Amino acid sequence: MEGFGRRLKELRQTAKITQSDLADKLNLHPQTVSKWERGLSEPDIAQLGELAAALGISLEKLLGREEAEISYVGTFRAEAFGKMLSELRAGRGESQEALAAAALTSPDAVSRWERGTHRVGAQRLAQMARALGCRIEDILDDPED
């Protein structure tokens, strides 16, 4: 999480936005942004698109990944995310346990994400994309968008 927080702070400062300004754009308390930057917590996956837009950057740049020609834009739906994650994992012939180990989380967490009952954080999303050998937007792709 520290890496994400450090990157967020650098991106915010590059955009010449204060923590308070960023918090206002996202309808959050400035302490929330401060906690993200200090690595004490991280934004929910549903907030990532708004956060990137508020900073005027792509989701990939926000998450420290290589930027693609086309970037994810859309509304986050936990069920669609879970289905895509499950399909990508199964397509690679990996178990939930193997993905959990590669993404440094528990098999139970992967199961909850795939069922759409819980949301993944920013750092885990990037770790899962690396583990699955895909782009972040591949996991976030929602055919209904």
Side-chain angles (χ1 to χ4, degrees):
M1 212 170 356
E2 256 180 43
F4 176 80
R6 193 172 30 254
R7 185 172 41 262
L8 175 59
K9 182 176 183 177
E10 290 171 5
L11 293 167
R12 179 185 55 76
Q13 289 174 335
T14 299
K16 297 182 181 359
I17 299 172
T18 67
Q19 286 182 343
S20 292
D21 291 340
L22 182 57
D24 286 345
K25 287 182 177 196
L26 300 170
N27 296 318
L28 299 171
H29 194 281
Q31 256 188 327
T32 302
V33 175
S34 175
K35 285 182 180 181
W36 291 345
E37 290 184 0
R38 291 181 291 144
L40 300 176
S41 66
E42 62 181 21
D44 184 273
I45 190 171
Q47 296 170 306
L48 294 177
E50 285 182 64
L51 181 54
L55 294 169
I57 60 172
S58 69
L59 181 61
E60 294 82 7
K61 186 168 187 166
L62 175 65
L63 296 176
R65 298 293 306 258
E66 184 178 324
E67 292 187 85
E69 289 181 31
I70 299 173
S71 186
Y72 172 77
V73 178
T75 304
F76 177 81
R77 291 185 328 109
E79 301 81 23
F81 169 80
K83 183 178 181 190
M84 185 58 67
L85 178 61
S86 178
E87 288 174 7
L88 288 168
R89 179 188 54 75
R92 289 181 53 98
E94 289 190 17
S95 65
Q96 288 180 338
E97 291 78 10
L99 178 57
L104 306 174
T105 192
S106 70
D108 186 52
V110 173
S111 175
R112 286 178 286 167
W113 296 333
E114 288 186 356
R115 291 191 318 263
T117 60
H118 286 75
R119 294 181 177 171
V120 63
Q123 195 71 15
R124 293 282 184 253
L125 179 61
Q127 289 169 330
M128 279 193 296
R130 262 187 230 104
L132 291 169
C134 67
R135 300 171 304 150
I136 292 167
E137 61 268 18
D138 293 335
I139 301 173
L140 295 174
D141 187 30
D142 184 348
E144 293 183 25
D145 266 352

